[in-house]
C-alpha cells in the first residue's frame, strides 16, 4: 500500500466536501445557536461567516490540526462540544476514506497482478506457439526425409530388379549367340571346302551348272557375312545391356560418362519413334568416380523424357546430347525441341509422382529419380523450358580436385 493512498495526513477540504459542509455547517450552527465558520489549516474559510474577531478551536487529527472551528458569539463550552462532535465525524470520515483507499489499492494491486499474470500467459502462449511451429516444421521435415528415403529405397529396389533382369537376359542371349557364331564359322569352313570341290570337277560340269552352285556359293557367302554382322550387332546390344544392368552394383568406380551416354543412346535408338532423331556431341571427359549403373539410369530417364516430349508435340524433332568440361566439373546437356513446359510445370517437375501426362501414361518418377541420383553424386540438375519450343536439362558433376 502506498503512503499517499492510505496512511497519510488528510486535509479538511478532503474530508468535508461541499455537500458535507452544506449539511454539517447549518446543523452545527443550529446546535451552537450562534455564528460559525469552518477554516482549513491555513485559515482559509471553507464554510460559514467570514473570519474576523472569532474564537477558534483546532480540529486535531493525528497530533496536527487540519482546520479550525470558529465563532464570535458562541459559548466556549458549546464550541468545544461542537468541535468534539465534528472531530467524531471527521475520524469516521478518515476511517471510511482509509478503508476506501485500502480497498482501491487492493483492487488496483489485484488488477496489476492479473495484468502481470495475463502478460505472463501471453508470453507463455507465444513461447508454446513458437515451439509448436518449430515442432510442426521438424515433423514435416522428418516426414519429407522419410518419404524421400522411402522413394530412394523403392528406386534402388527397382533399379536392382531392372539390373538383375537385364543381366539375366544378357547371360541367356550370350549362350546361343556363342554357338551360333561358332556354327556360322564352321559353316563358312564347309563352304570353303565345297568351293574347293569345283577345282576337282571337269570344267563346265553339267551337274555344277544344273544346280547353279556358283550362285549358291556366292549367295551363301553374302548370307554368312550378313549373319556375322547381325551377330556383331546382337553382341553390341548385349554389351550395352550388360553395361546398363550395372545398376545393382553398389561400389563406386572410375567411369567415362561419354561411354554411359553412348550405351544409353544405343539402347534408346532401338526404341526411337518415327520422326525423332538422337544425336550425340561428346567431347573427351576426365573419368569420374561414380556409380555407372545409376548414371546410366539417370541419362536414360532424361533422354526418354526428351523423346516423349517430342512425341507429345505431335511433330518430328531432335534430341541432342552433349558433354563437356566446365569450371569445377563435368556438364551434360540434353536438349529437345518438344512441347516444352510452363513455369509452373517446371517448378513441380522434380516432385515424386508429378506428371503432366494422362493417368496411366507416366509414373512421374523419371526426373525425381534423376534428381536423387544427381544429389547422391554431389551434383546438381537444372531445367529450363519454353512452352512449344522445347526443354533443356543440364546436369553437373563436380570433379574431386
Amino acid at each position: 500500500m502506498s503512503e499517499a493512498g492510505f496512511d497519510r495526513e488528510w486535509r479538511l477540504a478532503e474530508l468535508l466536501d461541499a455537500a458535507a459542509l452544506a449539511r454539517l455547517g447549518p446543523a452545527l450552527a443550529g446546535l451552537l445557536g450562534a455564528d460559525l465558520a469552518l477554516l482549513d489549516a491555513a485559515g482559509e474559510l471553507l464554510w460559514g461567516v467570514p473570519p474576523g474577531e472569532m474564537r477558534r478551536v483546532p480540529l486535531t487529527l493525528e497530533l496536527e490540526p487540519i482546520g479550525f472551528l470558529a465563532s464570535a458569539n458562541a459559548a466556549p463550552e458549546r464550541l468545544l462540544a461542537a468541535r468534539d462532535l465534528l472531530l467524531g465525524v471527521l475520524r469516521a470520515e478518515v476511517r471510511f476514506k482509509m478503508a476506501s483507499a485500502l480497498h482501491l489499492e487492493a483492487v488496483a494491486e489485484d488488477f496489476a497482478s492479473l495484468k502481470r499474470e495475463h502478460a505472463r500467459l501471453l508470453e507463455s502462449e507465444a513461447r508454446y506457439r513458437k515451439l509448436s511451429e518449430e515442432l510442426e516444421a521438424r515433423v514435416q521435415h522428418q516426414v519429407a526425409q522419410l518419404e524421400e528415403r522411402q522413394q530412394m529405397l523403392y528406386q534402388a529396389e527397382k533399379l536392382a530388379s531392372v539390373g538383375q533382369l537385364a543381366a539375366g537376359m544378357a547371360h541367356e542371349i550370350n549362350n546361343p549367340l556363342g554357338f551360333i557364331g561358332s556354327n556360322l564359322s564352321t559353316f563358312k569352313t564347309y563352304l570353303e571346302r565345297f568351293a574347293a570341290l569345283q577345282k576337282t570337277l571337269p570344267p563346265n560340269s553339267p551337274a555344277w551348272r544344273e544346280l547353279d552352285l556358283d550362285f549358291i556359293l556366292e549367295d551363301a557367302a553374302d548370307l554368312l557375312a550378313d549373319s556375322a554382322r547381325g551377330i556383331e550387332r546382337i553382341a553390341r546390344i548385349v554389351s550395352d545391356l550388360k553395361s546398363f544392368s550395372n545398376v545393382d552394383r553398389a561400389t563406386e568406380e572410375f567411369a567415362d560418362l561419354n561411354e554411359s551416354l553412348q550405351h544409353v543412346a544405343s539402347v534408346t535408338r532401338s526404341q526411337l519413334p518415327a520422326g525423332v532423331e538422337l544425336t550425340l556431341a561428346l567431347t573427351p571427359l576426365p573419368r569420374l568416380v561414380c556409380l555407372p549403373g545409376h548414371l546410366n539410369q539417370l541419362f536414360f530417364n532424361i533422354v526418354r523424357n526428351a523423346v516423349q516430349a517430342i512425341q507429345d508435340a505431335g511433330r518430328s524433332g531432335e534430341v541432342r546430347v552433349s558433354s563437356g568440361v566446365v569450371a569445377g566439373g563435368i556438364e551434360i546437356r540434353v536438349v529437345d525441341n518438344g512441347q516444352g513446359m510452363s513455369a509452373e510445370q517446371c517448378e513441380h517437375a522434380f516432385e515424386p509422382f508429378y506428371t503432366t501426362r494422362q493417368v496411366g501414361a507416366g509414373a512421374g518418377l523419371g526426373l525425381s529419380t534423376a534428381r536423387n541420383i544427381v544429389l547422391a553424386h554431389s551434383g546438381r540438375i537444372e531445367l529450363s523450358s519454353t512452352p512449344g519450343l522445347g526443354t533443356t536439362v543440364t546436369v553437373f558433376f563436380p570433379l574431386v580436385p
Side-chain angles (χ1 to χ4, degrees):
M1 302 176 189
S2 67
E3 185 176 351
F6 172 63
D7 187 13
R8 66 182 179 87
E9 294 182 354
W10 296 88
R11 293 183 294 107
L12 183 60
E14 293 177 322
L15 298 176
L16 297 177
D17 56 13
L21 289 173
R23 186 175 64 255
L24 289 174
L28 290 173
L31 290 175
L32 290 174
D35 58 346
L36 180 66
L38 280 171
L39 309 175
D40 63 10
E44 295 295 330
L45 178 64
L46 296 179
W47 182 87
V49 298
E53 295 297 329
M54 304 178 77
R55 184 184 302 108
R56 297 184 179 186
V57 292
L59 300 173
T60 303
L61 290 177
E62 302 295 338
L63 303 178
E64 293 292 335
I66 62 171
F68 299 93
L69 188 63
S71 177
N73 50 15
E77 62 275 9
R78 284 181 176 267
L79 186 58
L80 291 176
R83 191 260 331 256
D84 294 341
L85 179 61
L86 182 56
L87 284 176
V89 173
L90 293 175
R91 290 191 179 95
E93 187 66 18
V94 167
R95 287 194 294 272
F96 172 77
K97 288 187 176 298
M98 289 177 65
S100 177
L102 180 63
H103 174 72
L104 290 175
E105 289 189 5
V107 171
E109 181 65 23
D110 289 343
F111 181 70
S113 176
L114 289 174
K115 287 178 66 177
R116 289 193 297 272
E117 183 68 14
H118 179 67
R120 190 185 65 79
L121 290 174
L122 288 178
E123 182 182 356
S124 177
E125 181 184 1
R127 186 169 62 254
Y128 283 121
R129 185 183 296 111
K130 182 179 179 181
L131 289 174
S132 175
E133 292 173 353
E134 291 178 355
L135 181 61
E136 184 176 355
R138 288 184 182 180
V139 170
Q140 291 180 351
H141 179 67
Q142 293 291 332
V143 170
Q145 281 189 331
L146 288 174
E147 290 178 347
E148 185 175 356
R149 299 287 173 79
Q150 186 179 14
Q151 182 193 349
M152 292 179 70
L153 286 174
Y154 168 75
Q155 292 167 358
E157 292 179 358
K158 178 183 175 182
L159 294 177
S161 300
V162 172
Q164 291 171 359
L165 177 62
M169 291 177 61
H171 177 73
E172 292 299 324
I173 293 174
N174 259 338
N175 285 337
L177 199 63
F179 64 73
I180 290 174
S182 177
N183 292 345
L184 289 177
S185 178
T186 302
F187 188 66
K188 182 180 180 182
T189 302
Y190 291 166
L191 282 179
E192 290 172 350
R193 295 177 61 181
F194 185 68
L197 177 63
Q198 185 182 14
K199 298 178 181 178
T200 64
L201 296 176
N204 297 322
S205 170
W208 191 270
R209 290 199 309 272
E210 183 178 351
L211 295 176
D212 200 8
L213 293 181
D214 287 332
F215 171 77
I216 291 176
L217 286 174
E218 183 180 355
D219 192 48
D222 292 339
L223 292 177
L224 280 175
D226 289 343
S227 299
R229 286 193 294 271
I231 289 176
E232 290 177 358
R233 185 176 176 182
I234 294 174
R236 187 173 64 253
I237 294 174
V238 170
S239 176
D240 293 338
L241 197 59
K242 288 178 66 177
S243 174
F244 204 80
S245 69
N246 286 339
V247 292
D248 59 336
R249 293 168 57 180
T251 56
E252 293 181 332
E253 59 185 59
F254 281 96
D256 186 348
L257 298 190
N258 283 340
E259 293 181 0
S260 296
L261 293 172
Q262 289 168 347
H263 291 318
V264 170
S266 178
V267 173
T268 306
R269 280 197 176 101
S270 63
Q271 306 172 7
L272 283 179
V276 179
E277 294 184 2
L278 174 62
T279 59
L280 298 180
L282 308 180
T283 57
L285 300 176
R287 300 178 77 82
L288 179 72
V289 178
C290 62
L291 297 171
H294 288 201
L295 292 191
N296 288 343
Q297 183 67 45
L298 157 69
F299 297 141
F300 179 76
N301 286 349
I302 297 175
V303 172
R304 182 181 57 186
N305 278 352
V307 173
Q308 289 176 342
I310 296 175
Q311 277 187 291
D312 294 340
R315 60 173 182 268
S316 59
E318 180 185 15
V319 178
R320 300 191 305 275
V321 180
S322 61
S323 65
V325 178
V326 295
I330 297 173
E331 186 177 88
I332 309 297
R333 291 167 60 89
V334 179
V335 183
D336 71 73
N337 54 1
Q339 65 176 0
M341 292 186 291
S342 64
E344 182 181 1
Q345 290 172 334
C346 288
E347 185 178 351
H348 298 284
F350 294 107
E351 294 180 0
F353 307 111
Y354 176 80
T355 178
T356 58
R357 306 176 68 81
Q358 296 180 352
V359 177
L365 290 174
L367 286 179
S368 174
T369 302
R371 184 202 59 174
N372 291 336
I373 294 174
V374 171
L375 294 179
H377 288 77
S378 302
R380 64 173 182 269
I381 182 170
E382 297 173 352
L383 183 69
S384 64
S385 185
T386 303
L389 297 180
T391 302
T392 298
V393 179
T394 305
V395 182
F396 172 82
F397 295 105
L399 289 171
V400 178

